[in-house]
Amino acid sequence: MTVFSVYVVNKAGGLVFQYDHQKTSIELEKTFSYPLDLKLEPQTDYVTVVFGQQDGIKVGHVILSVNGKPANGRKLQDGSDVMEFIENEKNYPLNIRFGRPKLSSNQKIMMASMFHSLYAISVQLSPESGSSGIQKLETDTFTLHCHQTVTGVKFIVISDPKQVGVDSLLARLYTIYSDYALKNPFYSLEMPIRTELFDSQVVAAIEQTEKVGS
Amino acid sequence: MSKTTGRAFENKKLVGELFTLTYGALVSQLIKDYEKDDEVNKQLDKMGYNIGVRLVEDFMARSNLGKCQDLRETADVIAKVAFKMYLNITPVVTNWSLANDEFSLILENNPLAEFVELPERHSDLSYANVLCGAIRGALEMLQLEVETWFLKDALKGDTATELRVKFIKKLTDALPAGED
C-alpha cells in the first residue's frame, strides 16, 4: 500500500524528474567487537557485506555510517578510509549502521533511458500494429506503471503490487506537470524539473493515492 | 454562456475583460517596441507558438482525448473542445479544400479583440496572430506540421474573423514509440 517512486521521462528518453517516497528504509545499527565476523568488501561506491549474515544484516547491505559518522562511499566524512578504520583493532568496540544501497542519480538517469528504449522495443514486439508500449511491469515485490502521453512524455510510478488507484495517480501527475512545470515561464521544456511547487504537489498526490488505496 | 449565479458571472466577466486588457497592453507594447506591423505579427506568432507548445499538454491532460485519426477530427477537436475550453467560444469549421488538407475556423466574435478598433496606420497588423501561433505550436507537439494565417479579420472590416489552417506534413522523426 505504498508508492515507492515516481519518474518523469521526456520525449528523448532523458530523466526530467525523480522522487523517492520511502517512509521507512530498513537500517540496522549494531555494535561490534574485534574481530569483526562479517566479511566486508569495498566496491566503487560503497563497502558491502559479502558474507556472514546475522541479526538482519544481509549480504548486499552497505555501510551507511561508522560510530555515527556518515560514510561517503569508501571513506568517512573526515577522510579516513572505512576499511582501514574497521581493520584497526584499536577502534573497537565500534558501531556500524547497515542498510540497502540507494541508487545514485546517475544510475537513475541510466535506468530511465533504458526503460525508454525498452518501451520502444515493446511497441515493435507487438503482433498488432499501433500498439502501446509497456503499461505495467509486475514483479513479486513491486509493480511499475507507465503512462505515455500523446506528446511522448512518460510518467512512471513504481508501487507496491497491492496498491490501487495508480491510474488516477498517473493522470493526476500529468495534470500537475501541465500546471506547475509547463505554466512556469522559467521552466524550459525537456529540462529537469527543479521547482518546489512541483515537488510538493507530487508528494500531495502520492499521499492522497496511498490514503485512498486499501 | 452557462447559467451561473450573478456574483460568479460578474467575476468571470471581469477576468475575461482583464484578459482582453492584458492582451491589448501586450500588442500595444509590441507595436511601440517593433514599430513595423510585420515584425509585430512575427512576434505575436512566436509568442503564440510558445504558448501552444505548453498549452497542448494541459489540453491533453484535461480532455483525456486520444489521437485523432484524420484532419477532420483534428479540426473538430480544435473548434469544439480546445477553443471552448480556453476561450469559451466555438468557431465553425468550414471551407474545406478539395484535397481535405485545408480548413477554416470562423470566429463570430473574437474575445481577444472585444473592444478593439484597428486604426488606418496599422492596417497590416494581424491583431490576434497569437491564436495562429498557438494552433501551430500545439499541433507541432502532436507531430502535425501546419501553416496558419488569417484570411479575414473583423477588425479590418470583414463580417467575421476567418483563421485558415493548412496541413503541411506529419513529423515522423520525433515520433513517440507507439504512435503512428
Side-chain angles (χ1 to χ4, degrees):
Chain A
M1 287 64 73
T2 33
V3 172
F4 294 129
S5 44
V6 169
Y7 291 73
V8 179
V9 179
N10 67 15
K11 264 203 286 217
L15 189 63
V16 153
F17 177 75
Q18 198 280 323
Y19 173 68
D20 283 324
H21 185 77
Q22 259 160 356
K23 273 180 283 188
T24 49
S25 50
I26 304 167
E27 283 179 10
L28 291 143
E29 198 155 355
K30 200 172 174 246
T31 318
F32 295 94
S33 52
Y34 193 81
L36 192 63
D37 43 4
L38 293 169
K39 180 117 178 46
L40 299 166
E41 198 178 283
Q43 312 255 309
T44 27
D45 291 324
Y46 288 106
V47 177
T48 49
V49 175
V50 289
F51 197 73
Q53 276 184 191
Q54 54 171 285
D55 290 338
I57 301 169
K58 302 212 169 109
V59 171
H61 278 189
V62 300
I63 293 182
L64 296 174
S65 72
V66 177
N67 280 346
K69 290 183 244 166
N72 215 347
R74 291 170 55 183
K75 293 199 186 314
L76 292 173
Q77 263 189 351
D78 55 15
S80 53
D81 192 80
V82 173
M83 288 306 290
E84 279 172 19
F85 195 82
I86 290 175
E87 273 152 22
N88 195 341
E89 190 178 345
K90 281 186 265 154
N91 293 322
Y92 283 84
L94 52 74
N95 220 345
I96 311 182
R97 179 135 35 107
F98 292 93
R100 287 201 63 218
K102 290 206 175 89
L103 285 173
S104 76
S105 46
N106 275 343
Q107 286 172 323
K108 286 177 188 162
I109 294 173
M110 260 195 341
M111 300 281 197
S113 26
M114 228 185 283
F115 182 77
H116 173 83
S117 315
L118 284 176
Y119 188 97
I121 291 172
S122 67
V123 172
Q124 305 282 333
L125 280 175
S126 165
E128 309 252 336
S129 69
S131 152
S132 81
I134 297 175
Q135 288 179 330
K136 215 196 273 194
L137 205 123
E138 288 183 18
T139 69
D140 54 352
T141 47
F142 75 89
T143 308
L144 183 150
H145 304 255
C146 174
H147 171 57
Q148 176 173 262
T149 67
V150 188
T151 44
V153 181
K154 283 190 256 304
F155 295 91
I156 300 163
V157 171
I158 297 179
S159 71
D160 189 281
K162 295 197 274 320
Q163 178 73 44
V164 294
V166 186
D167 287 330
S168 59
L169 174 63
L170 286 168
R172 185 112 186 253
L173 284 173
Y174 190 21
T175 322
I176 294 173
Y177 171 74
S178 75
D179 282 340
Y180 294 91
L182 294 185
K183 293 202 177 94
N184 182 358
F186 300 108
Y187 169 66
S188 341
L189 253 56
E190 318 289 342
M191 290 283 113
I193 303 173
R194 291 196 203 292
T195 47
E196 268 184 47
L197 270 180
F198 186 79
D199 292 347
S200 53
Q201 287 291 322
V202 169
V203 173
I206 292 177
E207 280 170 0
Q208 197 188 36
T209 310
E210 286 184 340
K211 244 190 272 173
V212 168
S214 48
Chain B
M1 284 266 231
S2 56
K3 285 199 177 136
T4 42
T5 61
R7 190 78 192 278
F9 186 71
E10 268 289 308
N11 284 341
K12 268 198 184 158
K13 221 171 167 279
L14 290 173
V15 174
E17 288 187 6
L18 183 61
F19 174 63
T20 310
L21 193 61
T22 310
Y23 187 70
L26 180 76
V27 176
S28 64
Q29 188 60 48
L30 281 176
I31 291 175
K32 270 200 208 104
D33 288 340
Y34 292 99
E35 283 167 36
K36 294 211 212 95
D37 287 347
D38 232 9
E39 259 308 306
V40 178
N41 287 344
K42 247 202 285 188
Q43 289 302 318
L44 283 173
D45 186 77
K46 241 201 264 183
M47 288 171 54
Y49 177 81
N50 287 326
I51 293 174
V53 158
R54 289 163 182 254
L55 203 63
V56 70
E57 301 266 15
D58 183 78
F59 175 69
M60 296 308 303
R62 282 179 216 288
S63 65
N64 270 326
L65 291 169
K67 273 214 127 190
C68 290
Q69 295 306 320
D70 57 18
L71 195 64
R72 281 192 178 260
E73 225 183 298
T74 309
D76 275 337
V77 167
I78 294 176
K80 298 196 181 106
V81 192
F83 265 91
K84 181 92 180 113
M85 199 188 277
Y86 292 113
L87 292 172
N88 208 11
I89 55 170
T90 316
V92 181
V93 182
T94 46
N95 290 346
W96 282 96
S97 67
L98 284 168
N100 271 341
D101 62 350
E102 265 186 60
F103 64 91
S104 286
L105 290 164
I106 315 260
L107 291 94
E108 281 283 316
N109 51 330
N110 187 356
L112 290 172
E114 213 179 306
F115 307 115
V116 178
E117 194 179 292
L118 215 57
E120 281 286 321
R121 61 181 186 278
H122 292 298
S123 51
D124 283 330
L125 183 68
S126 281
Y127 188 79
N129 217 23
V130 80
L131 290 176
C132 290
I135 294 176
R136 187 171 63 89
L139 289 177
E140 192 175 302
M141 287 297 273
L142 301 171
Q143 285 83 44
L144 281 175
E145 192 181 313
V146 295
E147 218 180 283
T148 50
W149 69 96
F150 274 109
L151 212 59
K152 291 202 207 125
D153 201 339
L155 292 173
K156 296 188 188 155
D158 302 310
T159 41
T161 312
E162 189 172 335
L163 208 166
R164 195 108 182 115
V165 179
K166 181 183 158 84
F167 169 76
I168 307 289
K169 64 174 193 263
K170 253 193 157 176
L171 299 160
T172 45
D173 49 356
L175 215 57
E179 318 278 345
D180 47 18

